[in-house]
Amino acid sequence: MLSPDALKKIDEAVAKYPSDQKQSAVMAALTIAQDEKGWLSVETMDFVAQYLEMPPIAVYEVASFYTMYDLKPVGRHKLTVCTNLPCALQGATLAAKHLKDRLGIDFNETTPDGRITLKEGECMGACGDAPVFLHNNKRMLCAMSPERLDQLLKDLD
Ligand code: FES
């Protein structure tokens, strides 16, 4: 279900916790699984549950609670907009609308060419640099004015 490389990374995450608390590595395991598969299908979550010896429902609960996990396929580039209050007050709502208009999609949708998915996220801990975006869960983008978003859209493949 997952590659030997992914399983090795999960084993490394599991090793950080006491041997009877493998489930503590569930967030790391889901991230590793999603990085490899692109999104988290029920089959992938069931595999993670079995691997960590925990009930599947407990894995579903984690995967469905945090916005960085995708329970359906996403585009090559996932742009997550922080819409919490500090970012909203600094232009995140306008920035999100700008992107929606440019891309012709709403939150949780993907452009027809499979290039970009737009998602809504929670505070990313960089409120002073609002509006804050996250690219593919890995790269934080700060002070994203409409002009900077236009440049970003040009730069993405
Ligand atoms: S409110 Fe957006 S990063 Fe904190």
Side-chain angles (χ1 to χ4, degrees), residues 91 94-95 98 102 131 143-152:
L94 280 176
H98 182 75
R102 281 285 318 264
M144 295 308 285
S145 62
E147 295 74 26
R148 291 189 64 160
L149 286 168
D150 287 342
Q151 187 60 49
L152 175 69

Side-chain angles (χ1 to χ4, degrees), residues 88-102:
L89 290 174
Q90 290 294 328
T93 309
L94 280 176
K97 181 172 181 337
H98 182 75
L99 264 190
K100 288 178 185 177
D101 291 346
R102 281 285 318 264

